[in-house]
Amino acid sequence: MATPATPAIARTAGPLDGLRFEGSGPPGAADPLVAEHLRLLGARPDGTSGGRFTVTGREVGEVSAGTLWGEAATDEATVQAATGIMAVHGRRDGTPRGLAVDYAATATGVLAVQGLLAGLLARARGAGDVTRVEVSAERAGLLTVSQYLAAAGAEEGEAAELAPGGPPFTSADGTVFELETLDPAAWAAFWRALEAPEEAIRRGWRPFQFRYATACAPFPKVLHEAVRASSWERIRQAAGSSGAGVCPLGSLAGRASEYDGAAPWELAPHDATYVPRGAPDGGPLAGFTVLEAGRRIQAPLAAHVLGLLGAEVIRIEPPGGDPLRGMPPACSGISARWLALNRGKKAVEVDIKSPSDRERLREMAAGADVFLHNWAPGKAAQLGLDHEDLAVANPALVYAYTSGWADRLPDAPMGTDFMVQARTGVGEAVRPADEAPAPSLMTLLDVLGGLLGAEAVLAGLLLRERTGAGVRVDSSLLGAADVLTAPARARAAQGLDPRQPAGFRRPLRTADGWIALPDHAAIPYDMSDLPTDQALERLHDRGLPAVPVVTDLADFLSAGPISRDAHGAPAVPTPWSFA
């Protein structure tokens, strides 16, 4: 199978400088990414065969991490099937679909690096004698769909229809493009400029708005017809006059030709002012305080991961609280999706438009270890809350910004998940050659960007612990896209076909469901007339570890590792185990 990896690129400041790592055991799907990220963070390889990575150094001792596939779900395809990834990605099409990229393995690899960094940080702080970390690929897969799973277990039904449909759109002259706006007025103005019917405009907004939550957008077909009757130039003019954003689907070859070789994160240490302190019990990050001013998914998920590792997370919310708390469906009156990313966090309401409240936020940052946000570009500087501003009061702060584009692309569109997917060729990478390129309506990059953001913060905290320096940390959705598509982009750069063959990771229909075979396994016969249980039995008798495809995420609630939080919302288990 293809393996996720980032190319050998120029390294930023290294929290693992002076340390060495060695891989042992049979190689796994996530191993190229783990090895490359350890190199980018400064560790030197002592030989890498994969399977388990051990980082050693006089100052931090020895910590090893391994990634585990399950007994039934044994590779990327079967993990996607067993954890609901195929179900969510396939909602736009109406049937389960496998992602043609190694999404679960990529998430697992990032989580493994997080576990290594957390273990090394714990040892450096005297917070515990962590020597071994295990990461479950199946639990990593569940984490990537945690919002969708939470909604499936809520007390009430979805607020928007779960049915096939959604972008991208195609113009009269054949340009395939993504549309983005967070403003209903801009949505309406865009479609009016294309002379779409008012009723369709009205009915289309809600499914379009909720597509981040539902992974589908069954808006009226007449809207597709309106763009198919319009030239690309007219569509661009409509976007410009309305304030909506449009972005043609880019290719992997195009992204490869402009790729700048940047790492998925950047660490910039400054004056050495931090005095390391002891740590209480309670996880690798116990005793650390994270201030999070995050919206939507990327930054809240990064902070959620840091909280799972033991940090105290304090959310900065606007007066009246985060409006997404009320996003349906709810558990005990609170959005199930919101709880999936924010349970266990404390909250403080701050009006960042108020000078006195901004000063209060600076005072809070003076006592924190991490300040994390994903505000629009330039907003932090405008508010006087950029790294330079907060470092005046707390030079030891790890200041983390999770952005859309990291200022790496000129004339970039709005930095949201689906626009970054469109611009970077993800639409080609996630679908096999017999399907038209289309970005996934699953929030691939918001989730992976959040995981990379947490990895970067852990790297910053370890760098601070080892050097005494405060650190600015930058990560982005663009970095997430480049990590996810690295193998396909590398094939494109060599002039090879970057896409997987027809039918790749497409599950097989049975009489009452779907099954998935491991990548590249041969299908012995047609099983469409067999019940799923019987088809699986026959395949297992032939030595093929096929698994049933989870099509209803609510099935996880009656079996498996999913628990319920204090509000009754489904809670995904942590992906690591520390020994």
Side-chain angles (χ1 to χ4, degrees):
M1 62 181 289
T3 51
T6 50
I9 51 184
R11 175 174 70 80
T12 57
L16 302 186
D17 281 350
L19 306 186
R20 305 186 74 86
F21 73 91
E22 180 178 5
S24 59
D31 291 348
L33 183 149
V34 175
E36 184 61 24
H37 282 209
L38 293 178
R39 283 192 290 265
L40 288 171
L41 292 167
R44 296 179 59 189
D46 269 341
T48 302
S49 62
R52 172 169 293 278
F53 289 88
T54 301
V55 178
T56 58
R58 180 180 302 175
E59 178 184 344
V60 296
E62 176 179 299
V63 179
S64 69
T67 57
L68 301 173
W69 301 91
E71 293 182 6
T74 56
D75 76 338
E76 179 72 28
T78 50
V79 166
Q80 286 192 25
T83 59
I85 291 174
M86 284 188 178
V88 177
H89 172 58
R91 284 179 179 177
R92 177 186 175 277
D93 301 285
T95 59
R97 286 282 192 277
L99 291 161
V101 288
D102 289 351
Y103 189 63
T106 300
T108 304
V110 174
L111 288 162
V113 178
Q114 290 176 8
L116 277 168
L117 292 169
L120 293 167
L121 181 59
R123 292 178 67 93
R125 301 172 66 214
D129 191 23
V130 175
T131 59
R132 187 179 181 96
V133 184
E134 304 286 358
V135 180
S136 162
E138 290 184 54
R139 291 190 174 193
L142 290 174
L143 181 62
T144 67
V145 296
S146 59
Q147 291 185 87
Y148 308 101
L149 197 154
E155 298 166 352
E156 56 189 18
E158 284 280 9
E161 182 184 8
L162 296 182
F169 301 94
T170 305
S171 70
D173 38 4
T175 299
V176 182
F177 67 95
E178 186 72 41
L179 169 70
E180 183 65 281
T181 179
L182 307 179
D183 180 1
W187 163 269
F190 172 81
W191 291 108
R192 285 171 185 149
L194 300 183
E195 301 178 358
E198 285 293 327
E199 176 62 16
I201 296 172
R202 185 189 64 79
R203 288 193 295 114
W205 169 246
R206 190 171 184 83
F208 181 83
Q209 176 191 26
F210 271 82
R211 73 198 191 285
Y212 280 93
T214 61
C216 58
F219 44 70
K221 292 182 179 179
V222 69
L223 298 182
H224 279 288
E225 295 169 359
V227 293
R228 279 198 295 266
S230 304
S231 68
W232 174 237
E233 182 57 32
R234 184 185 180 192
I235 290 165
R236 288 181 63 245
Q237 291 175 359
S241 63
S242 66
V246 291
C247 179
L249 262 60
S251 67
L252 289 164
R255 179 66 190 138
S257 68
E258 69 180 5
Y259 181 56
D260 58 5
W265 16 245
E266 182 177 357
L267 311 178
H270 52 80
D271 293 340
T273 57
Y274 174 69
V275 178
R277 61 185 189 271
D281 296 331
L285 299 192
F288 282 151
T289 299
V290 176
L291 290 184
E292 176 229 316
R295 298 175 61 247
R296 300 171 78 87
I297 299 172
Q298 182 186 15
L301 176 59
H304 175 66
V305 168
L306 299 174
L308 292 176
L309 290 167
E312 178 185 55
V313 181
I314 302 173
R315 269 184 63 77
I316 306 303
E317 299 189 3
D322 185 347
L324 293 182
R325 286 176 180 265
M327 183 181 186
C331 288
S332 302
I334 302 177
S335 168
R337 289 191 179 90
W338 189 90
L339 286 168
L341 302 177
N342 298 294
R343 68 170 54 88
K345 300 177 183 179
K346 298 180 180 179
V348 175
E349 294 183 12
V350 175
D351 183 2
I352 58 175
K353 298 178 181 178
S354 162
S356 62
D357 269 19
R358 290 199 297 273
E359 183 57 35
R360 182 161 66 101
L361 183 54
R362 294 187 192 98
E363 293 171 359
M364 294 173 65
D369 296 280
V370 177
F371 181 78
L372 169 68
H373 74 89
N374 63 341
W375 292 329
K379 183 174 182 179
Q382 178 185 353
L383 294 170
L385 297 172
D386 207 351
H387 174 239
E388 291 78 7
D389 303 303
L390 298 188
V392 171
N394 185 0
L397 187 69
V398 174
Y399 184 99
Y401 179 34
T402 59
S403 67
W405 299 103
D407 294 326
R408 285 170 52 196
L409 287 184
D411 302 321
M414 189 184 302
T416 60
D417 187 308
F418 303 141
M419 294 294 264
V420 179
Q421 284 197 50
R423 175 67 176 77
T424 57
V426 172
E428 273 193 348
V430 299
R431 292 181 176 268
D434 58 338
E435 297 180 22
S440 177
L441 287 181
M442 181 176 164
T443 51
L444 303 179
L445 301 186
D446 271 334
V447 169
L448 185 55
L451 296 180
L452 287 166
E455 178 188 11
V457 169
L458 286 163
L461 287 169
L462 182 59
L463 182 62
R464 183 183 74 162
E465 197 72 29
R466 298 190 68 203
T467 65
V471 185
R472 172 169 177 138
V473 172
D474 287 273
S475 60
S476 65
L477 299 181
L478 177 60
D482 286 337
V483 168
L484 183 62
T485 63
R489 194 180 65 249
R491 292 194 296 271
Q494 298 167 22
L496 304 175
D497 185 353
R499 306 185 71 193
Q500 297 289 354
F504 183 71
R505 288 195 187 141
R506 191 170 299 153
L508 309 174
R509 187 184 288 277
T510 64
D512 57 357
W514 301 83
I515 59 174
L517 278 72
D519 281 338
H520 312 303
I523 303 169
Y525 43 74
D526 181 18
M527 290 168 288
S528 59
D529 292 333
L530 295 177
T532 299
D533 289 346
Q534 187 174 346
L536 290 172
E537 182 179 357
R538 292 193 181 184
L539 290 170
H540 293 165
D541 288 343
R542 289 173 172 260
L544 290 172
V547 299
V549 177
V550 172
T551 56
D552 185 350
L553 300 188
D555 291 345
F556 285 117
L557 307 178
S558 57
I562 305 302
S563 62
R564 295 274 186 172
D565 66 13
H567 300 277
V572 171
T574 57
W576 323 269
S577 59
F578 293 91

